[in-house]
Amino acid sequence: MTARPGKVTQREIARIAGVSQTVVSMVLNDRDDTNVRIPAATRERVRRAIEQSTYVADPAARRLAGLDNKILGVFTYESALTPESMDFYGPLLNGIERAAERLGCDLLFFTGSPVEEGRRRLFHRDTRLRLADGCVLLGQQMDGEDLERLVAESFPFVAVGRRDETDADVPYVGIDYGALTATLITRAAELGHRRAVYVHRDRDSPTARDRLAAITTSTGQVAFTLTAVGDDLTGLPGIITAQGATAVFAEDAFLVEDIALVLSEAGITAPAQVSLAALGEVRGHRIAERPLTGFQVPRQQIAAEALALLQQLISTPADEQAAITRQRLLQGDVEYGGTLVARGGAR
Amino acid sequence: MTARPGKVTQREIARIAGVSQTVVSMVLNDRDDTNVRIPAATRERVRRAIEQSTYVADPAARRLAGLDNKILGVFTYESALTPESMDFYGPLLNGIERAAERLGCDLLFFTGSPVEEGRRRLFHRDTRLRLADGCVLLGQQMDGEDLERLVAESFPFVAVGRRDETDADVPYVGIDYGALTATLITRAAELGHRRAVYVHRDRDSPTARDRLAAITTSTGQVAFTLTAVGDDLTGLPGIITAQGATAVFAEDAFLVEDIALVLSEAGITAPAQVSLAALGEVRGHRIAERPLTGFQVPRQQIAAEALALLQQLISTPADEQAAITRQRLLQGDVEYGGTLVARGGAR
DNA sequence: CTCATCTGATAATTCGCATTATCAACGGCG
DNA sequence: CGCCGTTGATAATGCGAATTATCAGATGAG
């Protein structure tokens, strides 16, 4: 470690002002109890000594003494600042930065975590996690054990995205995909659709389950045929015609794009013959010159809410923690777009 | 501060393993001097105790004890993660993240710094700056006093962008705009240009001076008329015709776009009648359907180099610091584009 | 058998700051 | 004059890890 000759400590200030280190600390923290009385004159003398110098409190020492550091950790399971991941992380990070600015907090990105199996590890022997007052977790796929351990150690944290794989009481902020899905299905029913196909990935996440649940409980409005895909969509056109489906819903926008391709190759025109919709963020996606129907996920808002919750978890004393709503679902918006049209292709 | 019931300390490990805290520390740091001897058996016992527990070293305590934390600060004078600033900061941040990953360092973004006059303040009473081993400074406009103070306190840091406004020995990594400018001028001369106008902003930065210097020393190849602008470009067409200029260089791409507009309104077609070029990054900019001629600034590389330098400054003992090249200029590339064409508008 | 040397481990101290307990000086009151 | 409450400050302690000084016991040489 490079020497820090220029470092000014409270002790040094105390020497200059002719008082004890204790007084300097008191003055800095504006303490004025009945136990602690410092006359205005002394206070002023210390203040001037501080201003004349270049004193800044050592955050490490503050932390060690048990104070908040106003540092919030940001952990992403993958690199967050690459051009590719900016699509997903960009709005989230922006929201986090803005919220942090408002709260006067700095952000510690755990970019130094060792990578195993393509994912960063949250816990490792040199983790700086504890330096933060709390931590936001981002990423599509999180590690259940990490979450459990954080809960067990009662380290304040918030996951972005619905996370209730584990039975631990994981604090998160997510989107209510179930409600959004139900809304979209109702819309499809209004447009005359009675039979549809839902194409989903075989990933098992809470939000995937939410979507599925909304779909399976919607049978009164629209009857869905479910089909899980790996990368193979070749069977889809057959399923559609066999079922007499007039709409295809897919788990996300990229999947819809693949589907549109397969359909057009099979001679099925969308949305004229078959409507299309994604049960995920659709911003920027277009199918057949039309904006894709799906959801708008307010990522900046999610981030802001996540930081608000985190701040609350941090600043709430243990005996009041129970009163906090630790799981929060935001509503999001349906983007009606132009690819879900009336049955029969009326336009 | 929320209590941390789950916190495991070295003392706790020591109790479990039946040794003293000292030994735990020794084992963790793999110390084995002549002064420090720990038999393999004991060592193993401690190791197991550590692994069984959830122990992680408290970074604040390590820091206080004078060790490196593998934390690099990132200070931007403006918000870095907004959609608008992503253009400029994105590649830099990406480069920084990748370099930090390689070095095993975490990144501390000082988003909590108070904002004055639209700029974040680096030094303030609650700054967490010292928590980092060193710091990278980003931003178009930096504060000279900040830089001087960092140098005075011999805090390891690196500015991104040429910074020698002050007489302090500020470490930086920048682009050699002088060399790039000279290259572009030579190219213009080859294409037959003899008289040109250089439109610059009246900002006085080191890189601005570099460009100007290259221009004023190029009189043997191309004779330049200089003109500084605020927002007013209306006089430009007059200057061009008066001087018989066949090319217009401007300080940056946005300025060129403004110029192209003014010229076209004055009935001057570019690049047919007047060639255009920017002495700055031109990626994504097009004029009259052609890619703008100018520079390509390797921002990721700059960031990587900045972090490399920073790491060097941090890890080099005081008595060898003098051997480090603290100011580094990278070369960048000329983007020949399509708006600098042979004199007379040949194609 | 005794004194020196080596082994293995611990107590004590440091870092900078916050907090608690403690203390000296002073003034008023009975 | 002596007791007490108030005022203004300080010494002492803790936080967690690293480092230094120190020490007890085993072993060796003379």
Side-chain angles (χ1 to χ4, degrees), chain A residues 242-260:
Chain A
Q243 302 290 331
T246 56
V248 176
F249 285 29
E251 193 157 8
D252 60 62
F254 297 98
L255 202 45
V256 173
E257 287 182 350
D258 294 345
I259 290 170

Side-chain angles (χ1 to χ4, degrees), chain A residues 94 97-98 101, chain B residues 76-82 85-86 89 118 120:
Chain A
N94 181 25
E97 184 186 34
R98 290 213 318 237
E101 245 170 33
Chain B
T76 61
Y77 280 91
E78 317 96 37
S79 296
L81 298 170
T82 65
S85 53
M86 264 308 159
Y89 284 112
R120 285 189 185 145

Side-chain angles (χ1 to χ4, degrees), chain A residues 1-8 28-30 53-64 66-71 76 78-83 86 90 93-94 97-98 100-102 104-113 115 120 123-134 149 152-156 300 313-318 321, chain B residues 1-8 28-30 53-64 66-71 76 78-83 86 90 93-94 97-98 100-102 104-113 115 120 123-134 149 152-156 300 313-318 321:
Chain A
M1 181 79 219
T2 317
R4 294 286 162 72
K7 179 142 62 178
V8 186
L28 279 168
N29 294 26
D30 278 326
S53 75
T54 58
Y55 175 83
V56 281
D58 183 329
R62 286 177 65 87
R63 180 71 179 164
L64 196 56
L67 277 72
D68 273 12
N69 250 345
K70 310 272 260 174
I71 293 180
T76 60
E78 319 95 37
S79 297
L81 298 169
T82 65
M86 264 308 160
L93 294 178
N94 181 25
E97 184 186 34
R98 290 213 318 237
E101 245 170 33
R102 262 204 317 280
C105 290
D106 293 332
L107 293 173
L108 184 56
F109 284 72
F110 300 106
T111 50
S113 296
V115 176
R120 286 188 184 145
F123 287 102
H124 55 103
R125 57 186 296 275
D126 284 331
T127 183
R128 264 79 65 175
L129 182 61
R130 311 217 83 100
L131 201 48
D133 298 330
R149 180 161 170 189
E153 298 185 15
S154 64
F155 184 85
Q300 294 183 19
L313 291 175
I314 291 171
S315 58
T316 304
Q321 287 275 335
Chain B
M1 182 76 219
T2 317
R4 296 283 165 72
K7 179 142 61 180
V8 184
L28 278 167
N29 294 28
D30 277 326
S53 75
T54 58
Y55 174 83
V56 282
D58 183 329
R62 285 178 65 86
R63 183 80 180 148
L64 197 56
L67 274 71
D68 273 11
N69 252 343
K70 311 271 260 171
I71 293 179
T76 61
E78 317 96 37
S79 296
L81 298 170
T82 65
M86 264 308 159
L93 294 178
N94 182 23
E97 184 186 35
R98 290 211 318 235
E101 246 170 31
R102 263 204 316 280
C105 290
D106 293 332
L107 293 174
L108 183 56
F109 285 72
F110 299 106
T111 48
S113 295
V115 176
R120 285 189 185 145
F123 287 103
H124 55 102
R125 56 189 296 275
D126 283 331
T127 183
R128 266 78 65 178
L129 183 60
R130 310 217 85 99
L131 208 47
D133 298 331
R149 181 160 168 189
E153 298 185 12
S154 64
F155 184 84
Q300 294 183 19
L313 291 174
I314 291 170
S315 60
T316 304
Q321 286 275 335

